[in-house]
Amino acid sequence: MSIPFIDLQAQRKRIESEINTAIQSVVESGRYVLGPEVTELEKQLADWCGASHSVSCANGTDALALALMAWELEPGDAVFCPSFTFVATAQVVPWLGAAPVFVDILPDTYNMDPAHLRKQIEAVKAEGKLSPKVVIAVDLFGQPANYPELKAICDEFGLKLIADTAQGYGCTLNGKHPSDWADIATTSFFPAKPLGCYGDGGAIITNDAKLAERIESLRVYGKVTPTDAAERNFHH
Ligand SMILES: *Cc1c(COP(=O)(O)O)cnc(C)c1O
């Protein structure tokens, strides 16, 4: 008997009629992009993490890229990534001209080693070619990274922290969600991920209202945000 590694049909069969009804209602509504169902999903994603904001997007890779775009990363900036993760975690960094710097993983969790992160930050600073800006921690196999230690290091060096939780959305550490420590948590709804969809999808989760607003703008070609409109700032 062969057992599929990932059996997407088992879940589909269990909730088949609910799914069919929901898809049919979207088809009939004519609201195919960022409709009311997406707004409801964003609310539920944030609520689940006890966070204030969620912004959905095309996939987990774009979620990471949007975070880096919101912080205006540029050539000469360093982003620290674990050396063991799906390629997307590091791939987005050169999209903005910045440089990924790889950090070793721990032998028991396969997640980023805080002690080696500190070493790599110090090495980059000593070399003086790149400026440390962002750390992307990854929650592999549903297991959160060591956020208390990673966050303390980020605070010490003035770095932003992303929790790439594409393989661990919903995970907690000491009763807290990755978004409680990270400036932004990102996730993917690729079908085989812990929270998969029927196609591609992704989202960011944050407790920073300004950052959520900025990412919502970047998601739609840099549209004017409510803050921009209030301040009559159309610079971007
Ligand atoms: C899958 C994955 C991504 C990218 O998500 P996509 O939706 O496939 O773009 C990013 N990071 C990790 C850790 C992933 O597993």
Side-chain angles (χ1 to χ4, degrees), residues 24-204:
Q24 191 61 34
S25 104
V26 171
V27 171
E28 280 164 17
S29 77
R31 299 188 63 180
Y32 303 142
V33 178
L34 299 177
E37 293 80 7
V38 175
T39 308
E40 175 59 23
L41 170 71
E42 288 170 336
K43 188 182 174 312
Q44 290 193 21
L45 288 168
D47 285 354
W48 179 268
C49 301
S52 53
H53 295 83
S54 171
V55 182
S56 61
C57 57
N59 53 59
T61 307
D62 279 4
L64 289 162
L66 284 163
L68 300 182
M69 287 168 76
W71 290 322
E72 298 182 358
L73 254 76
E74 55 188 17
D77 290 339
V79 177
F80 299 85
C81 307
S83 51
F84 184 72
T85 174
F86 182 62
V87 63
T89 309
Q91 180 198 6
V92 296
V93 178
W95 285 7
L96 291 130
V101 176
F102 291 98
V103 177
D104 284 348
I105 55 159
L106 293 162
D108 53 347
T109 63
Y110 289 16
N111 288 338
M112 185 182 271
D113 176 358
H116 194 245
L117 171 63
R118 173 181 293 280
K119 270 199 186 150
Q120 291 294 71
I121 296 170
E122 283 168 351
V124 166
K125 285 177 75 110
E127 200 189 21
K129 284 193 187 144
L130 299 170
S131 21
K133 285 284 163 67
V134 177
V135 173
I136 309 181
V138 177
D139 307 321
L140 279 187
F141 313 118
Q143 183 149 257
N146 186 344
Y147 289 107
E149 284 190 36
L150 295 173
K151 171 69 174 155
I153 294 170
C154 287
D155 286 348
E156 184 183 331
F157 291 94
L159 308 181
K160 302 283 189 197
L161 177 60
I162 296 177
D164 176 351
T165 196
Q167 293 193 30
Y169 176 79
C171 69
T172 58
L173 180 65
N174 308 329
K176 290 171 75 172
H177 289 268
S179 53
D180 289 326
W181 287 282
D183 297 284
I184 293 182
T186 64
T187 195
S188 158
F189 306 123
F190 183 82
K193 301 293 164 92
L195 185 60
C197 72
Y198 286 24
D200 262 325
I204 67 107

